[in-house]
Amino acid sequence: MIELVYDHALGSDVLNAVAALQMSCPLPVEPDHQLRFALSADGLVGRLVLDGAGAAQFISAVRIASTWDSSDDGRSNQQRSADALVDVCACFNSTTIAAERGSIVRTSS
């Protein structure tokens, strides 16, 4: 038979040391991400500002989703990137989580 004994004094000392360590650590700094957009007669226009980590995630998602259909694909890199961003958004919006949040905006084509 194994008997476990909890030493309250030692446990309290450990908890106090952990609490003191947590209090001495600086609070994490949130990155300064900004997204501004507006609907215009031509569609959506906006400005996006991301830190290095956010930019890496954004670029990676767009590059993964970007497709080159064939040598007949006359789209520019900018058009393919924009199409990829729309595909990423459509994929996210089709998930159950997004639907449960009720944040899906429907527009007529």
Side-chain angles (χ1 to χ4, degrees):
M1 178 174 169
I2 298 174
E3 182 179 351
L4 299 176
V5 178
Y6 179 73
D7 184 339
H8 290 281
L10 179 59
S12 177
D13 289 344
V14 170
L15 288 176
N16 287 336
V18 169
L21 180 62
Q22 288 176 339
M23 295 301 290
S24 68
C25 294
L27 293 174
V29 176
E30 291 293 323
D32 183 23
H33 295 162
Q34 298 177 22
L35 173 62
R36 295 180 185 154
F37 59 89
L39 292 174
S40 72
D42 295 327
L44 183 73
V45 295
R47 180 173 187 267
L48 174 65
V49 177
L50 298 173
D51 68 343
Q57 291 293 325
F58 179 84
I59 291 168
S60 178
V62 169
R63 283 187 177 161
I64 290 169
S66 185
T67 59
W68 183 63
D69 292 333
S70 70
S71 59
D72 295 334
D73 188 350
R75 296 177 298 165
S76 68
N77 286 334
Q78 292 87 353
Q79 289 169 321
R80 276 196 296 280
S81 293
D83 291 344
L85 181 58
V86 170
D87 291 345
V88 168
C89 293
C91 180
F92 175 80
N93 287 335
S94 69
T95 66
T96 304
I97 294 171
E100 288 173 355
R101 290 182 183 171
S103 59
I104 298 174
V105 177
R106 306 260 187 234
T107 60
S108 59
S109 298

